[in-house]
Amino acid sequence: MALTPKRATESATEMVQMVLPNDANPLGFVLGGTVMHLIDIAGAIACHRHTRTLLVTAAVDDLQFLHSIKVGDLIILQSRVTCVFTTSLEVQVDVFSEETLTGTRRMTSTAFLTFVAIDKDGAKIPVAPLLVETEEERRVCDEAHRRREERLQRRDMAKAEG
Amino acid sequence: MALTPKRATESATEMVQMVLPNDANPLGFVLGGTVMHLIDIAGAIACHRHTRTLLVTAAVDDLQFLHSIKVGDLIILQSRVTCVFTTSLEVQVDVFSEETLTGTRRMTSTAFLTFVAIDKDGAKIPVAPLLVETEEERRVCDEAHRRREERLQRRDMAKAEG
Amino acid sequence: MALTPKRATESATEMVQMVLPNDANPLGFVLGGTVMHLIDIAGAIACHRHTRTLLVTAAVDDLQFLHSIKVGDLIILQSRVTCVFTTSLEVQVDVFSEETLTGTRRMTSTAFLTFVAIDKDGAKIPVAPLLVETEEERRVCDEAHRRREERLQRRDMAKAEG
Amino acid sequence: MALTPKRATESATEMVQMVLPNDANPLGFVLGGTVMHLIDIAGAIACHRHTRTLLVTAAVDDLQFLHSIKVGDLIILQSRVTCVFTTSLEVQVDVFSEETLTGTRRMTSTAFLTFVAIDKDGAKIPVAPLLVETEEERRVCDEAHRRREERLQRRDMAKAEG
Amino acid sequence: MALTPKRATESATEMVQMVLPNDANPLGFVLGGTVMHLIDIAGAIACHRHTRTLLVTAAVDDLQFLHSIKVGDLIILQSRVTCVFTTSLEVQVDVFSEETLTGTRRMTSTAFLTFVAIDKDGAKIPVAPLLVETEEERRVCDEAHRRREERLQRRDMAKAEG
Amino acid sequence: MALTPKRATESATEMVQMVLPNDANPLGFVLGGTVMHLIDIAGAIACHRHTRTLLVTAAVDDLQFLHSIKVGDLIILQSRVTCVFTTSLEVQVDVFSEETLTGTRRMTSTAFLTFVAIDKDGAKIPVAPLLVETEEERRVCDEAHRRREERLQRRDMAKAEG
C-alpha cells in the first residue's frame, strides 16, 4: 500500500518549556544536556507526526549553543521535517530562548537530527514521502541528502574503528 | 600566574548509569535525548577536572547512535580531554551499552564536545594547557583543531543567518 | 508609568509534550496530577508573556478529564489570556491528546486559572490592560468577571471556615 | 456479590512532603502545578483505600491557593471520601503548609476531586457504598451530590462545544 | 535560653507515597535506593518537627528489606524520635507496604537514623530535650544510646582507616 | 551447570555523578537520601556484573556521612563484591566527594549492601562463586560472613516482633 505523501507544514511543531532549577548548573544557566534532551523530543514529535510510526534517534548533527539560557526563562523549540529517505527522515530543530521578564528572544541553536521508523518488533519500515514544493524546500532537502552522505561515511569509519 | 599543564589521563572519567523506565520510550529503548544528556555530563566532568573552573557547553559535534540500549541495561561513558584552546577545550566521549544479564558490551556513540571556562560572573577565563606527549595524542589534538575551525565557520554562518 | 495594553494573541501559547512512563499509572494512563501540572505551566507561560512579571497561581476553576491519555501519546496545551483584573489575570487552557500512531486528536480538558503578578519581594503589582476588540473577546472577558466574583465569594467562605 | 460498605475514616489519608528546589519557581515559591499534582495523588490514595480498584481522575473542582509555600517547608495533604456515586466517588483534599523552622501551619487549599473506578480493561465498575452516619457526613454528601450535578451540566456543555 | 522539651508524639510523622514506574526495576519491584531515599525524608521530617532547625543526616543504622514492594502499591513510612543527644537526635522509621487492590499491609523495614542540628552557617547547635515518660520510651532511648556508642566507635575506625 | 567463579576485580565499578540542585536541601548540601539512592545503584551494578542475573536489595549495613557534599560537586562511588553466599552476595560501596573547583577529594561514607539473585518469576537462584585469592580478600570475606550472621539474627528478631 502506497504511503500518502505529506507536506512539512503538516508535521511542523513548536514546543515551549519553562526552565526549572534542576535543569541548570549552580550559576543558574541551563545545562547543555537539558537542551539536547529537548531537541531530541521536539525533533521526535515532528517526525512522529510525519510518519505515524515508532521511531528511534539515529544521529544528531553538530550543534552549537550561541547564548546561554537562565532558570525561569522560556525555551522555544521549532521542529520541521527537511527530507525523507527510505526508512528514515531528517528534521531541523531551531532553539530560541525568551526572557520571561522582558520578552527578549534569541536563537541559541540549530540542529539536524535523523530518526529511523520502526515497527513494534524494531524492524525498519518505510516512511511516507515528503511533498517538496517550493524552491526553498528543495534546497533544504538537497542539503539534507548531502549531510546524510557525510553521516554515512562517518558511520562507516566509526564502525570500522569501533 | 601561569596555569599548570595537565595530562589527559589526569582528568579522564568513566561514568556508569543504569537505564531506568523513565529514560526510555514505550518500547523500552532509551531515548536519544537521555544519552545526549549523559554525554554532556560525562564531558563536563572530565573538563571540570582539567580546568577546575565553572563551564558552559559551547558545541556538540555530530553524534550517531549505532545500537539501541534497553531499560535495565548499563550505559558506560568514557570522557577524555583531546585539546585545549585558549578559554575553551574539547573532550571526546565514547558511549557503550552493557547488557546486564549477559555482559555484552557495544560501542553505541562517539561525540566531541566543546566547553568554555567561565568565572562566576560569566566571563571567559584561560584554561590550563594540555600536556600532549605521544604521537597519538598529537594526532587527536590536531584533529580537534581542525574540527574547531569547521565549527567556527559554521558558527559564523549561523550567526549571519540567525 | 502607564502599562501598554496587549492583545490576547500576543501572549497565546501552545505547548506540546510527549507522555513518558513516569507520568502514568500502572495501566499506562497519564495521571490527572501530571495534566494539572502541565496546565499550570501552560497557563503561567501565557500570563508571563502578557505581564512580563513574576507570577503566582491563585486559583484553578473546575476542570474535567473527558478522555484518558496513554504513555507515548502527545499532550497539546493551548493557553490564552481571557481577562485582566487589577493585579491578576485569568487564562484559559485547552488540553488535547494526540495519538502518536494515528494522529487522532481529542479535547480532554478546559481549565480557567488565575495568576497574580508580583515583584521580587512578593508584593502585588499592576498588570498591563488586555485589548478586548471583538464581540467574542468581550463575552469571554465578561464570563471571566463572573467567574472571579464566584471565586472571591468561595475564597471568603474558605477563609471564614479555615 | 454485594460490596461491603465502608466508613470515610477507614480510607482517610494524610500525606506529608518536603518541598524540594525543583518544585518551586526562581523565587523559591512552590509551583501551583506541584501542589495540584500532590492533591491528585492524595485524593487517589484515599479513593484506592475505599474502592480497592484501579482509578482514573475524572474531575477537579475549583481550588484556590490562599498562601504560598516555600522550598524547605512541608506540605501536608489530608484526603477523605465525601460521597460515593455508582461507579465514581468524590474526595475532599485539604492542603496545609508547615514552616520547617517555626512549625507555623496554614491551610492553603481545599479541593474536591472525582475518581472513576475501572477494571484492568478500563471498563467502569461499581464502588462500595459509603457508610454515612453523622449529620455532618450527610451534609457533606448532599453537597457532593449538588457539585456532581453541576459538574455533569458543565461536562455536557463542554462536550457540546468541544 | 533553655529549649522547651517535647514529647515524641508531638513530632511523630506518617508519610504515604504511591510507587511510580521510575521508582522500580524492570520487574516492577521498587528499588532499595528509592525506599532509602524516602526513609531519609520521613526521618528528617520528624526530626525537623522536634528541633525546628536545619538538619543533616549523620548516620543510618543497618536496615533490611523483608518484602518487596510493587509499582502501584503504597509505601507508608512512620517516623518517631527515639532519643536526643546534645546536638543530634535519633529517629526510628518503620516502613510498610500496602497493596492498592487488596489493602494487605506488611512491614518491610525498620531503620534508625541520626540527624545533626545545624544553623545556617553549618555550625552544630543544641537540640531541645525529649520528654521520656513511659517505661517503653526509656527502654527505646537506652538502646539509642547504646547504638550511638557503637556508631561512634565505627566512625573512629572509619576515620582512622580513611 | 556449574557457575564460573569470578574475581572481585571483574565486577568492580566506579560511578561518578554531578550533584544537581534537586538532590540538595535549601542550604545546598546533598540529601542523605540521595547518597543512599546512589549507593544502592552502585552496589547493584557491581553485583549485576558478578551475577548477570536480576537482583533485589536485601539489606544495607549501617552507614555514616562523615562530610557533607555541596551542589555542583562530584560524588564518586566505588563498589566491589566482598563475598558470595548461596543465593546472595555482599558488596562494599565507598563514597567520596570531589570539589569541582579544587579537586579536593574526601571519603564521606562506606556501606555494605546485600543483594539476592532472582529469576524473572522472583525465585532465588544461585550466584557464581567469588575467587578469593589474597590474604586481604580472605579477611574481607570473613568479615562479610560475620556481618551476615549478625544480619540474620537481627532479621529473625525483626520478623518475630513485626
Side-chain angles (χ1 to χ4, degrees):
Chain A
M1 191 194 70
L3 291 158
T4 314
K6 286 186 193 169
R7 285 180 181 75
T9 49
E10 296 176 65
S11 56
T13 294
E14 178 166 315
M15 262 177 80
V16 191
Q17 291 267 326
M18 200 175 292
V19 182
L20 296 180
N22 216 44
D23 302 327
N25 67 17
L27 287 185
F29 292 122
V30 69
L31 299 171
T34 301
V35 180
M36 291 186 232
H37 199 153
L38 293 172
I39 285 173
D40 182 59
I41 292 176
I45 293 177
C47 290
H48 275 305
R49 284 175 160 172
H50 183 88
T51 65
R52 295 301 173 194
T53 67
L54 295 166
L55 294 169
V56 289
T57 315
V60 186
D61 269 35
D62 53 270
L63 66 95
Q64 307 203 20
F65 300 97
L66 305 180
H67 303 288
S68 51
I69 307 179
K70 290 194 311 297
V71 170
D73 283 350
L74 304 181
I75 301 183
I76 296 119
L77 299 109
Q78 295 173 342
S79 54
R80 186 184 175 94
V81 172
T82 56
C83 197
V84 163
F85 313 118
T86 316
T87 57
S88 65
L89 70 174
E90 196 203 63
V91 63
Q92 177 174 349
V93 183
D94 293 332
V95 186
F96 302 85
S97 64
E98 181 182 318
E99 285 187 13
T100 303
L101 300 188
T102 63
T104 304
R105 187 185 267 230
R106 294 196 290 187
M107 181 188 261
T108 61
S109 299
T110 293
F112 294 97
L113 292 88
T114 310
F115 287 88
V116 174
I118 55 171
D119 62 20
K120 66 180 191 298
D121 302 315
K124 294 184 180 184
I125 53 176
V127 172
L130 181 72
L131 279 177
V132 176
E133 294 172 325
T134 69
E135 205 54 38
E136 168 67 9
E137 286 177 346
R138 194 163 314 279
R139 188 185 61 76
V140 164
C141 189
D142 286 348
E143 287 177 10
H145 276 289
R146 182 183 50 70
R147 277 188 294 269
R148 182 173 183 246
E149 274 166 43
E150 290 174 13
R151 235 173 349 244
L152 293 177
Q153 280 180 17
R154 286 192 304 259
R155 188 188 181 93
D156 288 345
M157 282 169 56
K159 285 205 164 168
E161 288 173 19
Chain B
M1 191 193 70
L3 291 158
T4 314
K6 287 188 193 169
R7 286 181 180 74
T9 48
E10 296 177 65
S11 55
T13 295
E14 177 165 317
M15 261 176 80
V16 191
Q17 290 267 323
M18 200 175 292
V19 181
L20 295 181
N22 216 44
D23 303 325
N25 68 15
L27 287 184
F29 292 122
V30 70
L31 299 170
T34 302
V35 180
M36 291 185 232
H37 199 153
L38 292 173
I39 285 173
D40 181 59
I41 292 176
I45 293 178
C47 290
H48 274 305
R49 285 175 160 173
H50 184 87
T51 65
R52 296 298 173 195
T53 66
L54 295 166
L55 294 169
V56 290
T57 315
V60 186
D61 268 35
D62 53 87
L63 67 95
Q64 308 203 20
F65 300 97
L66 306 180
H67 302 289
S68 51
I69 307 179
K70 292 194 309 299
V71 169
D73 282 350
L74 304 181
I75 301 183
I76 296 118
L77 300 107
Q78 295 173 343
S79 54
R80 185 184 176 93
V81 173
T82 55
C83 198
V84 163
F85 313 117
T86 316
T87 57
S88 66
L89 71 173
E90 196 203 62
V91 62
Q92 176 173 350
V93 183
D94 292 333
V95 186
F96 302 84
S97 64
E98 181 182 317
E99 285 187 13
T100 303
L101 300 188
T102 63
T104 304
R105 188 185 264 232
R106 293 196 292 188
M107 181 189 260
T108 62
S109 299
T110 292
F112 294 96
L113 291 88
T114 309
F115 287 88
V116 174
I118 54 171
D119 62 21
K120 65 180 192 297
D121 302 316
K124 294 185 180 183
I125 53 176
V127 172
L130 181 71
L131 280 177
V132 176
E133 295 172 323
T134 69
E135 203 55 37
E136 169 67 9
E137 285 176 348
R138 193 163 314 278
R139 188 185 61 77
V140 165
C141 189
D142 285 349
E143 287 177 8
H145 276 288
R146 182 184 49 71
R147 277 188 294 268
R148 182 170 183 250
E149 273 166 43
E150 291 175 13
R151 233 170 355 241
L152 292 177
Q153 280 181 18
R154 285 193 303 260
R155 188 187 181 94
D156 289 346
M157 283 170 56
K159 286 205 163 169
E161 287 173 17
Chain C
M1 190 195 71
L3 292 158
T4 314
K6 286 187 192 169
R7 285 180 182 74
T9 49
E10 296 176 64
S11 55
T13 294
E14 179 166 315
M15 261 177 79
V16 191
Q17 291 267 326
M18 200 174 292
V19 182
L20 296 180
N22 217 43
D23 303 326
N25 67 17
L27 287 184
F29 292 123
V30 69
L31 299 171
T34 302
V35 180
M36 290 185 233
H37 200 154
L38 293 172
I39 285 173
D40 181 59
I41 291 176
I45 293 177
C47 289
H48 275 304
R49 285 174 161 174
H50 183 87
T51 65
R52 295 301 173 193
T53 66
L54 295 166
L55 294 169
V56 290
T57 315
V60 187
D61 268 35
D62 53 86
L63 68 94
Q64 307 203 20
F65 300 98
L66 306 180
H67 303 288
S68 50
I69 307 178
K70 290 195 310 298
V71 169
D73 284 350
L74 304 181
I75 302 183
I76 297 118
L77 299 109
Q78 295 172 343
S79 54
R80 187 185 174 94
V81 172
T82 55
C83 197
V84 162
F85 313 117
T86 317
T87 56
S88 66
L89 71 173
E90 196 203 64
V91 63
Q92 177 173 348
V93 183
D94 292 333
V95 186
F96 302 85
S97 65
E98 182 182 318
E99 285 188 13
T100 303
L101 300 187
T102 63
T104 304
R105 188 185 265 231
R106 294 195 292 186
M107 181 189 260
T108 61
S109 298
T110 293
F112 294 97
L113 292 87
T114 309
F115 287 87
V116 175
I118 54 169
D119 63 21
K120 65 180 194 295
D121 302 316
K124 294 184 181 184
I125 53 176
V127 172
L130 182 72
L131 279 178
V132 176
E133 295 171 325
T134 69
E135 204 54 38
E136 169 67 10
E137 285 176 349
R138 193 163 314 279
R139 189 186 60 77
V140 164
C141 190
D142 286 349
E143 286 177 9
H145 276 289
R146 183 185 48 71
R147 278 188 295 268
R148 183 172 183 248
E149 274 166 42
E150 290 175 14
R151 236 174 349 243
L152 292 177
Q153 281 180 19
R154 285 193 304 259
R155 187 187 181 93
D156 289 346
M157 282 170 56
K159 285 206 163 168
E161 286 174 18
Chain D
M1 192 194 71
L3 291 158
T4 314
K6 286 187 192 169
R7 286 180 181 75
T9 49
E10 296 177 63
S11 55
T13 294
E14 179 165 315
M15 262 177 78
V16 191
Q17 291 267 326
M18 199 175 293
V19 181
L20 295 181
N22 217 44
D23 302 326
N25 67 16
L27 288 184
F29 292 123
V30 70
L31 299 171
T34 302
V35 180
M36 291 186 232
H37 199 154
L38 293 173
I39 285 173
D40 182 58
I41 292 176
I45 293 177
C47 289
H48 274 305
R49 285 174 160 175
H50 184 88
T51 65
R52 296 300 174 193
T53 67
L54 295 166
L55 294 169
V56 290
T57 314
V60 186
D61 268 35
D62 53 86
L63 67 94
Q64 307 203 19
F65 299 98
L66 306 180
H67 303 288
S68 51
I69 307 179
K70 293 195 308 299
V71 169
D73 283 350
L74 304 180
I75 301 184
I76 296 119
L77 300 108
Q78 296 173 342
S79 54
R80 185 186 176 93
V81 173
T82 55
C83 197
V84 162
F85 312 118
T86 315
T87 57
S88 66
L89 70 174
E90 196 203 63
V91 63
Q92 176 173 349
V93 182
D94 292 333
V95 185
F96 302 85
S97 64
E98 182 182 318
E99 285 188 13
T100 303
L101 300 189
T102 62
T104 304
R105 189 185 264 230
R106 293 196 291 188
M107 181 187 261
T108 61
S109 299
T110 292
F112 295 97
L113 292 88
T114 309
F115 287 87
V116 174
I118 55 170
D119 63 20
K120 66 179 192 295
D121 302 317
K124 294 184 182 184
I125 53 176
V127 173
L130 181 72
L131 279 178
V132 176
E133 294 172 324
T134 69
E135 203 55 37
E136 169 66 10
E137 286 177 346
R138 194 163 314 280
R139 188 186 59 77
V140 165
C141 189
D142 286 349
E143 287 177 9
H145 276 289
R146 182 184 48 71
R147 277 188 294 268
R148 183 173 183 246
E149 275 166 41
E150 290 174 14
R151 230 165 6 234
L152 293 176
Q153 279 181 19
R154 286 192 303 260
R155 188 187 181 94
D156 288 347
M157 282 171 54
K159 287 204 164 168
E161 287 173 18
Chain E
M1 191 195 70
L3 291 158
T4 314
K6 285 186 194 170
R7 287 180 180 74
T9 49
E10 296 177 64
S11 56
T13 294
E14 178 164 317
M15 262 177 78
V16 191
Q17 290 267 325
M18 199 175 292
V19 182
L20 295 180
N22 216 45
D23 303 326
N25 67 16
L27 288 184
F29 292 122
V30 70
L31 298 171
T34 301
V35 180
M36 290 186 234
H37 199 153
L38 292 173
I39 285 173
D40 182 59
I41 292 177
I45 293 178
C47 289
H48 274 306
R49 284 174 161 174
H50 183 87
T51 65
R52 295 300 174 194
T53 66
L54 295 166
L55 293 170
V56 289
T57 314
V60 186
D61 268 35
D62 52 271
L63 68 94
Q64 309 204 19
F65 300 97
L66 306 180
H67 303 287
S68 51
I69 308 179
K70 292 196 309 298
V71 169
D73 283 350
L74 305 180
I75 301 184
I76 296 118
L77 300 108
Q78 295 173 341
S79 54
R80 187 185 173 93
V81 173
T82 54
C83 198
V84 163
F85 312 118
T86 316
T87 57
S88 65
L89 71 174
E90 196 203 62
V91 62
Q92 176 173 351
V93 183
D94 292 333
V95 186
F96 302 85
S97 64
E98 181 182 318
E99 285 188 12
T100 303
L101 300 187
T102 63
T104 303
R105 189 185 265 229
R106 293 196 291 188
M107 181 188 260
T108 62
S109 299
T110 292
F112 294 97
L113 292 86
T114 309
F115 287 87
V116 174
I118 54 169
D119 62 21
K120 66 180 193 296
D121 301 316
K124 294 184 181 184
I125 53 176
V127 172
L130 180 72
L131 279 177
V132 177
E133 296 172 322
T134 68
E135 203 54 38
E136 169 66 9
E137 285 176 347
R138 195 163 312 279
R139 187 184 62 75
V140 165
C141 189
D142 285 349
E143 286 177 9
H145 276 288
R146 182 183 49 71
R147 277 187 294 268
R148 184 173 181 246
E149 274 166 42
E150 290 175 13
R151 238 177 344 248
L152 293 177
Q153 280 180 18
R154 285 192 304 259
R155 189 189 181 92
D156 288 345
M157 283 170 55
K159 286 206 163 167
E161 287 173 18
Chain F
M1 193 193 71
L3 291 158
T4 315
K6 286 187 194 169
R7 286 181 180 73
T9 48
E10 296 178 64
S11 55
T13 294
E14 177 165 317
M15 261 176 79
V16 190
Q17 291 267 325
M18 199 175 291
V19 182
L20 295 180
N22 217 44
D23 303 325
N25 68 15
L27 288 184
F29 293 122
V30 70
L31 299 171
T34 302
V35 180
M36 291 186 232
H37 199 153
L38 293 173
I39 285 174
D40 182 59
I41 292 176
I45 293 177
C47 290
H48 275 305
R49 284 175 161 174
H50 183 88
T51 65
R52 296 300 173 194
T53 66
L54 295 165
L55 293 169
V56 289
T57 315
V60 187
D61 269 34
D62 53 86
L63 67 94
Q64 308 203 18
F65 300 98
L66 306 181
H67 302 288
S68 51
I69 307 179
K70 291 195 309 300
V71 169
D73 283 350
L74 304 180
I75 302 183
I76 297 119
L77 300 108
Q78 295 173 343
S79 54
R80 185 185 175 93
V81 173
T82 55
C83 197
V84 163
F85 313 117
T86 316
T87 59
S88 66
L89 71 173
E90 197 204 61
V91 62
Q92 176 173 351
V93 183
D94 292 333
V95 185
F96 302 85
S97 63
E98 182 182 316
E99 284 188 12
T100 303
L101 300 188
T102 63
T104 304
R105 188 185 265 230
R106 293 196 291 187
M107 182 188 260
T108 61
S109 298
T110 292
F112 294 96
L113 292 86
T114 309
F115 287 88
V116 174
I118 55 171
D119 62 21
K120 66 180 193 297
D121 301 317
K124 293 184 181 183
I125 53 175
V127 172
L130 181 72
L131 278 178
V132 177
E133 295 172 324
T134 69
E135 203 55 37
E136 169 66 8
E137 284 176 348
R138 194 163 313 278
R139 188 185 61 76
V140 164
C141 189
D142 286 349
E143 286 176 9
H145 276 288
R146 182 183 49 70
R147 277 188 294 269
R148 183 172 182 247
E149 274 166 43
E150 291 174 13
R151 228 164 8 235
L152 293 177
Q153 280 181 16
R154 286 193 303 259
R155 189 187 181 91
D156 288 346
M157 282 170 55
K159 285 205 164 167
E161 288 173 18

